[in-house]
Amino acid sequence: MSTFLQQLVNGLSLGSIYALIALGYTMVYGVLRLINFAHGDVYMLGAYAGYFLSRKLRGEEPSLLSALIVMAGSMVACAIAGMIIERFAYRPVRRASRLTLLITAIGVSLFIENGAQLVFGPDPKFFPSLAPHADFRLGHVRITSEQLTVIVVSVLLMLALRFFILKTRTGKAMRAVSFSLDAAKLMGISTDAIIAATFALGSALAAAAGVLIGMQIPKIDPLMGIIYGLKAFVAAVLGGIGNIPGAVLGGLLIGISEVMVVGYLSSTYRDAIAFGILILVLLLRPQGILGRVQKEKV
Amino acid sequence: MRLRWCAAALLVGALFPASGCGKRGAGDEIPIGEYGSLTGTTATFGISTDNAVKMAFEEINAAGGVLGKKLKLYVEDDQSKPEEAATAATKLVNQNHVVALIGEVASSRSLAAAPIAQAAQIPMITPSSTNPRVTQVGDFIFRVCLIDPFQGAVMAKFAHDTLKLKKVAILVDVRNDYSVGLQTFFRQHFRELGGEVVAEQSYSEGDSDFHAQLTQIKAANPEGIYVPGYYTEVGTIARQARELGITVPLMGGDGWDSPKLWEIGGEALNGCYLSNHYSTDDPSPVVQKFVSEYKRRYNALPDALAALGYDAARILADAMTRAGSTDGAKVRDALAATKDFQGVTGLITINKDRNAIKPAVILKVENGKFHLVETIKPESVKI
Amino acid sequence: MALWAANGLLSGTLVPGVQISPYFLQVLCLAGINIILAVSLNLINGFTGQFSIGHAGFMAIGAYASAYVTVTFGDKIRAALAFLPQGGRDGALLLAGLAVGGALAAIAGFLVGVPSLRLRGDYLAIVTLGFGEIIRVFILNIDAVGGARGFTGISKLANFFWIYLFAAITILVVSRIVRSSFGRTLIAIREDEIAAEAMGVDTTRSKVISFIVSSALAGIAGGLFGHYLMYLHTNSFTFIKSIEIIIMIVIGGLGSITGSVLGAVLYIGLTEGLREFAQYRMVLFSFLLVVLMIVRPQGILGHREFLTLLPKRWRLGVDAPPAGG
């Protein structure tokens, strides 16, 4: 039983990462109806930003403060990156067909991945440890300080996002834009700015995920965004794409199922599990768990 | 309509440079091909081997070359991917017209390229691939290192007899022939010696999260964990194992041998063991000369892959000298007849399976260094 | 005359006396395989408007299935056909392998298509991506075809002649389909699926049929691929491969067969030409792709075919397809 609980902890930790990334997917889809293929790569950029920042801060004792600085710095960097991507790659094709948008997103994703391989080198790098390591025990279940950090930070960020979306003006504007772009424009909302803000927010969350993953599993490499991004996307779809609590739910579910399959069945199907879930969801309940059916007007 | 497409395609194709065909081995240089993982997940394997091969060739060329000609090395990077290894070998054989191939370290990649060498009737020497199937591809494929049935048995013997372990767990890389092969032989031998394998888990090369598998392993309470994988994952596994509270030693094979292992795994690796081909602690003059020369050139200690690469390069040159020719079949015969060649990694004799019979060493990881703990001779292990 | 040409093609010397370098020949052959992939994908992506990113999966099925057939039953088949000359025996063996590979790929296309093609746009893209990856992971775990070490020991049965024969067949088949009334159905589905449905077209059936044809051709391409490189590894069939094929047809122009051929050739040409700058290559490609989408999303040829650029007399009856899309 304690093994099962331990695996549950493992799953929650992994799932929180997926959830953070999935939030970005879901928010962007909500406002633009675009699957931002490049989002997983922003997560990767966040991890690298964190890596370089933490190396700059090296010499100081690993401490909570330096960890916070690294995370904040990385989030800001990626927020900017997200806005740049939106402005130069997506805005020009915003009115084009869905296919064109999708291909553009794929192009951006490939560009970032290969560019990163070029700039950072294709070999993996290893995150220096940022916070002192400690273990917490609850009975036989052991939570490492890294896992705890991941879960706590993710929860905090998600709560902050929820507050932002529900209580602030910009948040309200985002909801308006995701409901209807044209109506929002007519109501005087500067949709360009709101869309940029959405990208910034989503990218910042992905960056946080990148730093957290760097802290937990020290290995980072330029292609890490592909598989994490895809699984996070599945999580967003599972929860209901466009639905923010859904993204969180989806992320946790995917994380837990993955860990359970690897632990109790076989690791070879680790990646296939996410795709399997995706296919099942799309065939049986395409709107996701918390999503609503979109009626298409002709 | 059909003709139009063909013509169009050909016209566009005609824009490419077409290189001429040359005879193999003509001219005053002997072209030798090397393919290895200079980039990718196991980059240090390829780089070490490449450094050593270049060093060997420079020394040989400085001493007059082979058969009066200089050795020219063509190197292709396979990015740590098997399909790229196949492409690299094809390119070296078809475009550079090499007379022999050196490569690869990873058995999966050697297995991908070997059929190409065999089909072209060009001898291929793998310096460090230990999976027995590599040399079974054909009679032009050789190796200068020990093979996994021996390596797995060696660690089983060490774990059982020296470390006195009765129960171990195995964490294998299922995407990797080397890892799968090695753990098969380890498991077989460990059981024969009376030990018990209490848990088996798997991962894939490239994975970075092993919490799930390690949690299951921990629940089975092993006294040691056999992790016959490559250094990138092993380092991460060690780290995560310690985080989860697993304190027992980890054991592995020559896939651990990399200067990056410690960088990745850090103190989590203290007290762990690996089987390997040679040790820099070896006081023999041949080894020490090699170590100091390599250190002078590359400012780093040579790992086993470098030592084996060096030996492979020198054995090839020696075989060509003995054969008196660079003709594939003749060099092959000379290689097959290699007896008691003094290599850095020991006396090398190629047996009828085209493998080398050599002793193995057990190294202990301590504070960033590998220390020689035990040498195990082939005779003392029943395969 | 024909025999001489055939002999020439088979031995790799297109014009007697001019020896083509093996490397150049390899590039041409890979280009030919890409042509089959691009044209077959265009049938479903360009003409039917269904965005599939799973093409590599069908290619993989065809590759592995055909290789398995020729490796396992090769000797038996060869013995049974001992009365034919060497070339004939090899050819028959190859055809047998390709038949099995194409058939299995078609079946896979059916199995994937039926559930997936009910979805639209982005969802379909992701589902096909998922299926492609599942197929790949599935093959990766089959030890009989080599698993993670790859499938070795495949005979080199494919050569310039066979590859370009099938390229030609692919082009013929796809263009016949497109210019038939069934083809018009597909274009109608592309232009406005709901309207087509309203007009009584069984859209799902049509989509699935074109998907099956497309997958079968991809399977054949895969079979040729395996029998040319003599080695197969699932790493060659990831979704990156699927995306590469998409890049080819997008560059050439979705909905244009000539465009797909052009795109395929250009892609392999640039890939090989920039081999020294391999690291910069993908960066450049992806950048160009984004620029292309912004500036000219319809690709080089859009919906036009090579023949439509010529004056009417030379067009062999090919008309410019309806504008739009």
Side-chain angles (χ1 to χ4, degrees):
Chain A
M1 186 57 189
S2 67
T3 317
F4 179 76
L5 285 174
Q6 181 74 63
Q7 297 287 35
L8 208 59
V9 169
N10 293 339
L12 278 173
S13 174
L14 185 63
S16 308
I17 305 267
Y18 288 145
L20 282 176
I21 306 175
L23 282 168
Y25 273 115
T26 229
M27 288 198 292
V28 167
Y29 190 85
V31 296
L32 276 184
R33 302 283 178 271
L34 162 75
I35 301 176
N36 182 7
F37 260 102
H39 191 58
D41 302 300
V42 172
Y43 152 80
M44 177 270 293
L45 288 176
Y48 270 90
Y51 170 75
F52 286 115
L53 272 172
S54 52
R55 278 172 68 115
K56 268 220 140 98
L57 290 178
R58 198 194 290 188
E60 303 176 18
E61 284 291 306
S63 71
L64 212 54
L65 183 64
S66 57
L68 278 170
I69 296 178
V70 167
M71 175 141 334
S74 158
M75 283 170 79
V76 168
C78 284
I80 297 175
M83 288 196 282
I84 292 178
I85 294 174
E86 191 276 321
R87 176 67 187 79
F88 291 107
Y90 296 146
R91 198 179 296 183
V93 292
R94 204 182 283 168
R95 286 292 177 188
S97 72
R98 296 275 279 275
L99 207 62
T100 310
L101 274 171
L102 200 58
I103 297 178
T104 313
I106 293 177
V108 174
S109 170
L110 289 173
F111 181 71
I112 298 178
E113 282 159 23
N114 288 286
Q117 279 191 312
L118 207 59
V119 171
F120 303 133
D123 301 330
K125 304 238 183 309
F126 298 87
F127 231 75
S129 63
L130 282 177
H133 174 86
D135 288 323
F136 304 93
R137 312 192 70 155
L138 268 150
H140 284 294
V141 178
R142 191 185 214 108
I143 308 182
T144 67
S145 58
E146 286 85 7
Q147 285 177 317
L148 196 62
T149 315
V150 170
I151 296 176
V152 168
V153 171
S154 309
V155 168
L156 285 174
L157 285 173
M158 290 185 241
L159 286 173
L161 181 72
R162 187 171 171 75
F163 176 80
F164 184 80
I165 294 280
L166 290 178
K167 303 283 191 221
T168 67
R169 269 185 80 134
T170 320
K172 282 212 187 102
M174 279 185 196
R175 281 186 288 146
V177 171
S178 74
F179 190 77
S180 167
L181 185 79
D182 294 320
K185 259 200 207 153
L186 290 171
M187 298 300 274
I189 295 177
S190 165
T191 46
D192 282 349
I194 294 300
I195 291 175
T198 311
F199 268 84
L201 209 52
S203 306
L205 289 173
V211 172
L212 288 172
I213 259 283
M215 284 171 40
Q216 187 181 35
I217 293 162
K219 184 180 98 155
I220 63 172
D221 71 272
L223 299 180
M224 65 194 272
I226 301 181
I227 204 68
Y228 268 84
L230 272 172
K231 288 187 197 166
F233 174 72
V234 174
V237 171
L238 175 63
I241 192 139
N243 186 304
I244 290 180
V248 176
L249 182 63
L252 294 175
L253 282 176
I254 297 265
I256 294 176
S257 356
E258 188 179 313
V259 163
M260 290 302 171
V261 165
V262 170
Y264 290 104
L265 280 175
S266 159
S267 75
T268 28
Y269 298 103
R270 159 172 237 138
D271 294 341
I273 258 293
F275 289 116
I277 293 178
L278 174 73
I279 289 171
L280 280 173
V281 169
L282 285 179
L283 295 180
L284 299 174
R285 193 185 160 87
Q287 68 269 35
I289 298 177
L290 298 179
R292 258 168 307 186
V293 183
Q294 295 273 33
K295 299 234 182 296
E296 197 174 331
K297 290 220 184 84
V298 187
Chain B
M1 205 162 113
R2 192 186 307 181
L3 282 173
R4 272 191 219 270
W5 303 139
C6 284
L10 281 172
L11 267 171
V12 180
L15 293 171
F16 306 153
S19 56
C21 252
K23 260 186 56 126
R24 283 188 205 287
D28 59 354
E29 281 185 337
I30 302 179
I32 313 254
E34 179 200 336
Y35 66 100
S37 52
L38 302 172
T39 58
T41 49
T42 52
T44 65
F45 288 172
I47 295 174
S48 291
T49 312
D50 185 49
N51 284 349
V53 169
K54 286 196 167 112
M55 183 167 127
F57 276 18
E58 272 165 43
E59 286 173 6
I60 294 172
N61 282 343
V66 170
L67 305 173
K69 301 185 192 171
K70 299 267 186 256
L71 298 170
K72 178 139 170 66
L73 186 65
Y74 291 93
V75 184
E76 287 289 326
D77 176 22
D78 62 24
Q79 303 168 35
S80 306
K81 296 181 188 159
E83 68 278 13
E84 291 297 328
T87 310
T90 308
K91 183 159 184 282
L92 287 166
V93 167
N94 286 341
Q95 221 188 334
N96 302 111
H97 307 298
V98 298
V99 299
L101 274 176
I102 299 180
E104 224 247 26
V105 169
S107 300
S108 334
R109 305 195 279 265
S110 293
L111 280 169
I116 294 166
Q118 181 69 25
Q121 309 239 302
I122 287 179
M124 176 177 120
I125 305 183
T126 163
S128 325
S129 285
T130 49
N131 190 300
R133 281 211 324 259
V134 174
T135 43
Q136 287 164 7
V137 171
D139 60 346
F140 276 86
I141 315 297
F142 295 84
R143 83 174 95 218
V144 293
C145 57
L146 47 82
I147 55 177
D148 283 333
F150 179 56
Q151 197 182 178
V154 156
M155 187 47 94
K157 179 170 157 52
F158 179 75
H160 185 267
D161 295 346
T162 312
L163 293 179
K164 307 270 188 269
L165 303 180
K166 299 265 180 308
K167 307 191 295 181
V168 301
I170 297 182
L171 181 54
V172 63
D173 179 350
V174 283
R175 295 269 174 96
N176 187 340
D177 281 311
Y178 159 79
S179 187
V180 171
L182 200 45
Q183 62 96 29
T184 310
F185 301 118
F186 171 87
R187 185 191 317 129
Q188 194 185 323
H189 212 78
F190 192 68
R191 282 198 178 132
E192 275 171 23
L193 289 170
E196 190 194 336
V197 175
V198 295
E200 281 179 55
Q201 287 286 329
S202 66
Y203 66 94
S204 299
E205 198 176 340
D207 279 354
S208 45
D209 185 0
F210 308 97
H211 287 94
Q213 296 96 321
L214 288 167
T215 305
Q216 294 300 115
I217 286 180
K218 184 171 173 212
N221 247 324
E223 293 163 352
I225 311 179
Y226 190 50
V227 191
Y230 288 153
Y231 62 92
T232 317
E233 284 79 39
V234 169
T236 319
I237 288 173
R239 219 184 250 265
Q240 292 176 5
R242 304 298 176 228
E243 277 172 24
L244 283 171
I246 298 176
T247 50
V248 297
L250 271 52
M251 299 164 285
D254 62 337
W256 284 33
D257 193 0
S258 161
K260 277 220 141 82
L261 182 69
W262 183 262
E263 185 188 321
I264 301 169
E267 290 170 358
L269 291 162
N270 273 338
C272 294
Y273 301 93
L274 65 139
S275 54
N276 209 348
H277 307 270
Y278 101 126
S279 164
T280 49
D281 289 347
D282 188 333
S284 102
V286 175
V287 174
Q288 291 308 316
K289 175 165 172 292
F290 168 70
V291 171
S292 58
E293 179 62 25
Y294 189 95
K295 220 161 135 181
R296 191 187 65 82
R297 251 180 222 259
Y298 299 110
N299 207 12
L301 276 180
D303 54 22
L305 307 155
L308 287 166
Y310 188 75
D311 283 348
R314 286 178 55 244
I315 283 192
L316 180 62
D318 178 68
M320 285 195 279
T321 310
R322 275 184 285 129
S325 140
T326 58
D327 170 63
K330 297 204 179 110
V331 176
R332 177 209 45 199
D333 293 335
L335 278 171
T338 308
K339 194 160 159 50
D340 286 338
F341 180 90
Q342 179 63 60
V344 171
T345 56
L347 277 180
I348 302 176
T349 298
I350 305 285
N351 68 4
K352 63 170 170 45
D353 295 322
R354 292 174 300 287
N355 299 324
I357 305 295
K358 297 151 79 180
V361 296
I362 303 283
L363 306 174
K364 186 173 182 187
V365 187
E366 207 73 66
N367 293 325
K369 291 202 195 314
F370 294 150
H371 292 296
L372 178 61
V373 171
E374 207 175 298
T375 307
I376 300 188
K377 290 204 171 39
E379 306 82 56
S380 63
V381 172
K382 181 175 64 73
I383 298 187
Chain C
M1 167 82 178
L3 233 73
W4 163 85
N7 182 57
L9 285 172
L10 283 165
S11 64
T13 58
L14 291 168
V15 178
V18 175
Q19 180 81 11
I20 297 194
S21 80
Y23 177 63
F24 186 44
L25 193 62
Q26 171 155 326
V27 174
L28 279 181
C29 289
L30 289 176
I33 292 174
N34 278 349
I35 289 177
I36 301 177
L37 289 168
V39 173
S40 59
L41 185 65
N42 209 355
L43 178 63
I44 190 76
N45 280 18
F47 289 104
T48 320
Q50 303 304 302
F51 203 54
S52 160
I53 319 184
H55 221 50
F58 303 117
M59 186 186 174
I61 291 181
Y64 275 89
S66 59
Y68 185 73
V69 164
T70 59
V71 166
T72 322
F73 304 112
D75 296 326
K76 291 203 198 92
I77 296 181
R78 269 189 237 262
L81 294 170
F83 56 89
L84 288 174
Q86 170 76 20
R89 257 178 288 157
D90 284 347
L93 188 58
L94 177 68
L95 285 174
L98 290 180
V100 173
L104 277 174
I107 294 175
F110 174 73
L111 291 172
V112 169
V114 166
S116 314
L117 290 165
R118 291 189 276 143
L119 302 165
R120 303 278 171 81
D122 305 341
Y123 289 125
L124 175 63
I126 300 298
V127 162
T128 49
L129 185 82
F131 270 118
E133 284 297 291
I134 288 183
I135 290 174
R136 192 180 63 84
V137 171
F138 184 64
I139 293 178
L140 188 61
N141 286 304
I142 301 179
D143 211 52
V145 292
R149 83 190 78 95
F151 199 165
T152 54
I154 308 174
S155 338
K156 193 171 180 118
L157 296 175
N159 57 21
F160 184 86
F161 167 69
W162 286 112
I163 292 176
Y164 275 89
L165 177 67
F166 277 101
I169 291 178
T170 305
I171 295 174
L172 218 67
V173 165
V174 173
S175 54
R176 282 268 147 265
I177 291 180
V178 166
R179 296 190 207 300
S180 70
S181 62
F182 178 67
R184 273 195 284 282
T185 308
L186 297 178
I187 295 176
I189 294 176
R190 175 186 76 196
E191 296 299 326
D192 191 331
E193 192 163 337
I194 297 177
E197 186 90 38
M199 294 297 280
V201 170
D202 185 344
T203 53
T204 307
R205 184 173 163 276
S206 309
K207 284 192 278 186
V208 170
I209 291 179
S210 72
F211 205 73
I212 293 175
V213 173
S214 170
S215 318
L217 290 168
I220 291 180
L224 289 165
F225 181 77
H227 288 95
Y228 187 74
L229 290 183
M230 298 187 290
Y231 172 78
L232 283 175
H233 195 280
T234 52
N235 279 355
S236 310
F237 303 106
T238 63
F239 67 90
I240 304 265
K241 180 98 196 153
S242 296
I243 290 179
E244 281 179 7
I245 309 173
I246 288 178
I247 293 180
M248 287 179 225
I249 60 178
V250 164
I251 291 178
L254 288 168
S256 162
I257 298 177
T258 326
S260 308
V261 175
L262 194 61
V265 172
L266 267 177
Y267 188 81
I268 194 105
L270 280 171
T271 306
E272 289 305 317
L274 293 175
R275 196 162 256 275
E276 273 114 62
F277 312 107
Q279 321 139 281
Y280 303 97
R281 188 186 72 211
M282 272 319 277
V283 181
L284 201 66
F285 271 161
S286 44
F287 182 73
L288 286 177
L289 186 65
V290 176
V291 168
L292 191 67
M293 284 298 104
I294 296 176
V295 164
R296 194 182 163 86
Q298 67 269 44
I300 297 179
L301 286 174
H303 287 295
R304 300 193 301 257
E305 300 291 344
F306 181 56
L307 293 174
T308 63
L309 296 171
L310 301 172
K312 253 206 160 70
R313 263 201 312 146
W314 299 80
R315 276 196 208 160
L316 304 175
V318 174
D319 293 319

